[in-house]
């Protein structure tokens, strides 16, 4: 079968030409390839002497001799230089094979086959280079034919897949790769052969013969074609990228771990709740790090025991040897099912038993030799064996350690199909557990301080139903929720002499236990100052000194550097540094102090930077009293002003803290206006008014503490007050006894007549002897009987022990023995001395003992 040589065949590359020489030594035939090789057309070459036409002059003699020999019938092969017409005298080198021939007439001639030596050298060089590249390449080199079988493979490929190079001829990709990978490569080969588009970095996975290691290869494919462009196969260059893949996987794992740690920093510890923090840990770990996880915390930590839970657990181990201390399962999570399956059979039970994992909220303990118990004792992450019956194949038990205290245990598990935990995973699990442990320990410490502050604060508040003469009182205190610290809000109801009442509401700026302690100190100071019966402005001025003392080293006053003796005492450098260090602990507070007199229904207010009181009189809209706010307590330097307001019967007075009317969602003005609208709605019961206010106003859902003190005005009736003025003369003593006796008889208090007459006589006598001006006697009947004697003198009475020879000086001692309470206070125009007697309850009055009577002598 004849077949023409296609363009681009080997003959094109080696440039083979032919011509013939006749018996006369001249060119007789000239082929087209000869014309191309020598650059001379047939018409110019036929009939010419080849020696003259192509040979250099210096070689012509030898050439003619060779031609003669050839025509004599001798074959000859050799290299012949020739001139290349049209190439500026450049010489060529041809390899000529001369074969003698005969014409029809029997004359001798010659047939010459010519090959361009330069083309041969190029082919040899190209072949050598191709062989070097193909054979010496450190990468696997495979040539696939158009039928996708291996045509040729280099030594590197053979080294990986074994055998000899010739053994791989005719093989297909299915002989090297698994079915899925082989199908993918075959499809790629077909696409490259069809389109001619190269494919780079085709990732393939396989296992070389005799090896169990999975290898990763990156393959580059391109179509190979002849000089004429005819596809003759596909070249494949394969590079082993297993190490690169491992490095990339490790880098991806490191990035994932960093991302998990960043996420843990952002998501764990946002709340100061133990269980919530544990759930936040699992939200980060599942499914980003593991498939299943659980958190157990020491029961002692959850119940608020003071002992460090880690130390107590170790003590339990050492003493009993029965296993870990009690733990409670506080959180668990699963990415593979809605319910947590039997994650760790045997990890929480004795050997040979399989009770399954503890239920959420269950209290349990781990056996002494269990991996979890070992992890708690050693404070190191421990591998927990998987269960062949289950689907969990890798588990880490990681102790949660914070500040050298073990607070619990977290278990991370991976199911079959996931990678087992490695050293990098172990380090990440330890870091996650440590971060959560610190947050849990902080939550524990915060909860302890929060509970202490709350207990302290509530212990300092007045009882739930305080009573006061002429007032119906209702109060509410709502602490902030568990997400906020305890504040310094407080209120108080203090009984004053003369059936008067002091109403106090304050707020220490700051939060936590220190704010609660500062609040307690200020409340105690208010009560002490109130019992001195000072005016409201004087109480706040003295309280301001106390508040400033809270912010100085040792709490001792303002610390201006001068002593109370003779010369100046400059503070030491150490004291100066200590004072500077304590500047951040200066406490500021706001406070409203009001004194209500039920006889006159007048209320005197003084304000230290607090929100204004609110008054609702019957039939009138709610009104914010215009009380000068003054500076907060602890600032100092500014006096406080007083405002006296007469309140109508049935009026409603409200004192409150800012938590009631201010929040992040609305400004203070809107909160005050809403408070005015809500409190103006009439209600017969004051308790109902308090509840309505708290349930209606938007109080910020526990953002801040709320203190609310409400009082409805109920002045003493006129028939419960006896008020007389007495001239400054001796007969006023008898007149005072007579007035007191008559008034008590009218009130039906005959049992108190004798005692009252005696004590009134003593007080009026002292007013005449030591006082000045007109004398005023007033009797008040409410829950107790109060007697007040007023005069214009400024000298306060002082109780003293009389000598045996003294005829007087025992009056105040007698007042102190016979009355329930007594005292004196300053007034704008003098002083008032008073005593108080309990109303009779039907039982006979107790008589004074001999010791009490003798104590006056």
């Amino acid at each position: 079968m004849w077949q023409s040589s296609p363009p681009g065949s080997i003959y094109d590359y080696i440039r083979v030409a032919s011509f013939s020489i006749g018996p006369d030594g001249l060119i007789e035939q000239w082929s087209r390839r000869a014309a191309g090789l020598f650059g001379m057309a047939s018409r110019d070459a036929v009939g010419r002497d080849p020696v003259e036409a192509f040979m250099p002059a210096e070689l012509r003699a030898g050439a003619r001799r060779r031609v003669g020999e050839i025509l004599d019938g001798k074959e000859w092969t050799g290299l012949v230089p020739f001139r290349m017409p049209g190439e500026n005298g450049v010489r060529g080198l041809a390899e000529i094979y001369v074969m003698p021939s005969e014409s029809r007439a029997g004359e001798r001639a010659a047939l010459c086959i010519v090959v361009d030596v330069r083309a041969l050298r190029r082919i040899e060089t190209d072949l050598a280079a191709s062989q070097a590249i193909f054979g010496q390449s450190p990468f696997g080199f495979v040539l696939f034919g158009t039928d996708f079988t291996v045509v040729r493979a280099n030594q590197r490929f053979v080294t990986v897949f074994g055998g000899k190079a010739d053994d791989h001829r005719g093989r297909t990709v299915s002989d090297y790769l698994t079915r899925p990978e082989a199908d993918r490569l075959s499809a790629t080969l077909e696409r490259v052969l069809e389109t001619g588009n190269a494919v780079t970095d085709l990732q393939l996975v396989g296992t070389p013969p005799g090896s169990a290691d999975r290898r990763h290869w990156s393959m580059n494919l391109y179509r190979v074609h002849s000089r004429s462009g005819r596809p003759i196969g596909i070249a494949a260059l394969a590079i082993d990228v297993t190490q690169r893949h491992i490095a990339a996987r490790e880098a991806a794992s490191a990035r994932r771990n960093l991302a998990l740690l960043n996420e843990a920093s952002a998501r764990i510890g946002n709340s100061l709740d133990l269980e919530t923090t544990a759930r936040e840990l699992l939200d980060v770990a599942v499914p980003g790090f593991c498939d299943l996880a659980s958190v157990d915390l020491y029961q002692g930590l959850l119940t608020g025991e003071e002992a460090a839970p880690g130390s107590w657990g170790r003590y339990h181990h050492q003493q009993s040897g029965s296993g870990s201390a009690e733990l409670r399962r506080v959180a668990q999570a699963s990415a593979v099912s809605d319910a947590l399956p039997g994650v760790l059979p045997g990890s929480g039970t004795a050997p040979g038993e399989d009770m399954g994992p503890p239920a959420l909220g269950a209290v349990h303990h781990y056996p002494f030799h269990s991996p979890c118990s070992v992890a708690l004792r050693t404070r190191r992450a421990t591998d927990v064996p998987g269960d062949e019956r289950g689907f969990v194949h890798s588990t880490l038990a990681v102790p949660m350690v914070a500040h050298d205290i073990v607070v619990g245990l977290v278990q991370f598990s991976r199911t079959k199909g996931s990678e087992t935990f490695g050293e990098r995973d172990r380090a990440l699990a330890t870091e996650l557990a440590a971060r959560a442990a610190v947050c849990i320990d902080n939550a524990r410490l915060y909860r302890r301080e929060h509970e202490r502050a709350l207990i302290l604060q509530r212990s300092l508040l007045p009882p739930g139903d305080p009573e006061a003469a002429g007032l119906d009182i209702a109060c509410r205190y709502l602490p902030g929720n568990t997400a906020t610290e305890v504040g310094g809000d407080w209120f108080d109801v203090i009984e004053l002499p003369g059936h008067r009442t002091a109403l106090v509401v304050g707020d220490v700026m700051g939060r936590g236990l220190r704010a609660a302690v500062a609040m307690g100190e200020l409340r105690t100071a208010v009560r002490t100052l109130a019992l001195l019966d000072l005016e409201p402005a004087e109480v706040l001025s003295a309280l301001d000194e106390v508040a400033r003392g809270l912010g100085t080293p040792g709490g001792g006053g303002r610390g201006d550097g001068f002593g109370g003796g003779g010369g100046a005492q400059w503070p030491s450098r150490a004291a100066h540094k200590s004072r500077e260090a304590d500047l951040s602990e200066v406490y500021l507070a706001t406070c409203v102090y009001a004194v209500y007199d039920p006889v006159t229904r007048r209320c005197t207010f003084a304000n230290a930077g607090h929100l204004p009181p609110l008054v609702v009189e019957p039939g009138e809209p709610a009104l914010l009293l215009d009380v000068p706010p003054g500076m907060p307590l602890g600032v100092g330097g500014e006096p406080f002003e007083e405002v006296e307001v007469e309140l109508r019967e049935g009026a409603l007075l409200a004192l409150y803290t800012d938590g009631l009317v201010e929040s992040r969602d609305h400004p203070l003005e809107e909160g005050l206006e809403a408070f005015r609208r809500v409190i103006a709605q009439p209600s017969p019961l004051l308790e109902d008014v308090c509840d309505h206010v708290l349930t209606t106003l938007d109080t910020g859902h526990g953002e801040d503490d709320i203190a609310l003190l409400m009082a409805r005005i109920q002045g003493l009736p006129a028939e419960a007050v006896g008020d007389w003025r007495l001239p400054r003369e001796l007969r006023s003593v008898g007149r005072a006894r007579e007035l007191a006796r008559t008034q008590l008889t009218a009130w039906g208090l005959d049992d108190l007549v004798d005692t009252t007459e005696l004590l009134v006589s003593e007080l009026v006598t002292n007013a005449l002897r030591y006082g000045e001006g007109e004398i005023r006697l007033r009797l008040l009947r409410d829950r107790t009987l109060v007697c007040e004697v007023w005069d214009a003198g400024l000298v306060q009475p002082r109780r003293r022990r009389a000598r045996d020879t003294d005829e007087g000086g025992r009056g105040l001692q007698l007042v102190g023995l016979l009355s329930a309470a007594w005292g004196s206070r300053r007034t704008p125009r003098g002083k008032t001395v008073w005593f108080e007697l309990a109303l009779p309850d039907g039982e006979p009055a107790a008589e004074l003992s001999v010791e009490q009577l003798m104590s006056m002598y």
Side-chain angles (χ1 to χ4, degrees), residues 423-718:
E423 288 303 319
R424 190 187 301 273
D425 295 323
R426 183 187 296 267
L428 176 61
T430 302
E431 179 65 22
L432 289 174
R435 294 195 179 196
V438 170
C439 296
I440 287 175
D441 192 53
N442 290 341
R444 175 184 68 88
L445 296 175
Y446 167 78
R447 185 178 67 178
R448 184 180 66 182
E449 180 174 336
H450 185 275
E451 292 175 350
R452 290 177 177 177
L454 196 58
I455 293 173
L456 173 62
Q457 190 176 44
R458 287 178 173 174
S459 68
L460 295 175
L461 295 175
D465 298 316
E467 296 181 356
L471 292 176
D472 181 14
I473 295 178
C475 53
R476 295 290 186 274
Y477 172 74
L478 299 179
N481 56 35
T482 55
T484 59
E485 293 187 76
V486 173
D489 295 12
W490 92 91
F491 66 92
D492 210 345
V493 178
I494 307 171
E495 294 187 36
L496 299 178
H499 288 314
R500 294 171 304 134
T501 303
L503 304 175
V504 188
V505 168
D507 184 2
V508 176
M509 298 180 186
R511 293 184 177 278
L513 184 59
R514 297 186 64 83
V517 171
M519 178 271 286
E521 294 186 9
L522 291 178
R523 178 182 179 273
T524 302
V526 170
R527 280 190 159 267
T528 302
L529 295 170
L531 294 178
L532 295 177
D533 214 351
L534 303 177
E535 295 297 323
E538 294 178 326
V539 170
L540 292 187
S541 296
L543 196 61
D544 178 63
E545 293 287 342
V546 174
R548 281 189 284 169
L550 295 178
T552 57
R558 287 174 291 175
D560 52 9
F562 295 93
Q569 295 178 353
W570 297 102
S572 66
R573 179 176 299 179
H576 180 70
K577 289 183 178 180
S578 176
R579 188 157 51 248
E580 288 183 348
D582 286 348
L583 287 179
S584 60
E585 299 178 0
V586 172
Y587 286 97
L588 301 179
T590 62
C591 181
V592 170
Y593 185 86
V595 175
Y596 171 69
D597 188 341
V599 178
T600 61
R601 293 199 310 276
R602 301 187 70 85
C603 192
T604 304
F605 297 91
N607 190 353
H610 202 79
L611 295 173
L614 190 144
V615 172
V616 185
E617 294 193 334
E620 300 292 336
L623 175 66
L624 292 173
L625 294 181
D626 187 14
V627 180
M631 298 300 292
L633 302 175
V635 175
E638 294 292 333
F640 297 97
E641 300 182 40
E642 293 181 358
V643 172
E644 189 176 58
V645 178
E646 184 174 353
L647 302 174
R648 292 166 52 185
E649 185 75 16
L652 186 62
L653 174 64
L655 304 179
Y656 51 94
T657 56
D658 56 359
L660 181 68
V661 294
E662 186 177 22
S663 72
R664 300 190 188 112
D665 299 329
H666 56 75
L668 178 61
E669 292 74 12
E670 293 183 7
L672 289 173
E673 184 60 31
F675 186 27
R676 292 176 57 188
R677 291 194 304 268
V678 172
I679 201 173
Q681 300 179 13
S683 177
L685 297 178
L686 195 56
E687 294 289 338
D688 294 341
V689 177
C690 282
D691 294 336
H692 179 66
V693 168
L694 294 177
T695 56
T696 304
L697 291 181
D698 181 10
T699 58
H701 306 288
E703 292 177 3
D704 195 4
D705 293 0
I706 296 175
L708 175 62
L709 177 60
M710 304 185 72
R712 179 165 284 156
I713 303 303
Q714 297 174 351
L716 290 180

Side-chain angles (χ1 to χ4, degrees), residues 20 53 177 185 209 231 352 378 385 479 492 503 523 540 623 635 734 760 768 818:
S20 62
L177 301 173
L185 179 55
T378 61
D492 210 345
L503 304 175
R523 178 182 179 273
L540 292 187
L623 175 66
V635 175
V760 165
L768 288 174
L818 298 179

Side-chain angles (χ1 to χ4, degrees), residues 724 734-750 753 756-757 779:
W724 306 275
R735 176 61 178 165
R737 289 197 299 267
E738 180 183 356
L739 293 172
R741 181 173 58 252
T742 302
Q743 186 63 67
L744 292 180
T745 301
W747 285 341
L749 300 177
D750 296 333
V753 170
T756 304
E757 282 188 343
L779 294 178

Side-chain angles (χ1 to χ4, degrees), residues 134-180:
F134 193 85
Q136 301 175 21
S137 172
F139 310 117
F141 213 148
V142 183
L143 180 62
F144 292 97
T146 55
D147 59 351
F148 308 122
T149 61
V150 175
V151 176
R152 190 176 180 186
N154 72 343
Q155 186 60 37
R156 177 58 182 170
F157 184 86
V158 172
T159 301
V160 174
F161 288 97
K164 299 179 180 180
D166 292 339
D167 297 339
H168 293 273
R169 294 183 186 273
R171 291 185 179 180
T172 65
V173 295
S174 299
D175 297 321
Y176 305 103
L177 301 173
T178 60
R179 180 65 178 273

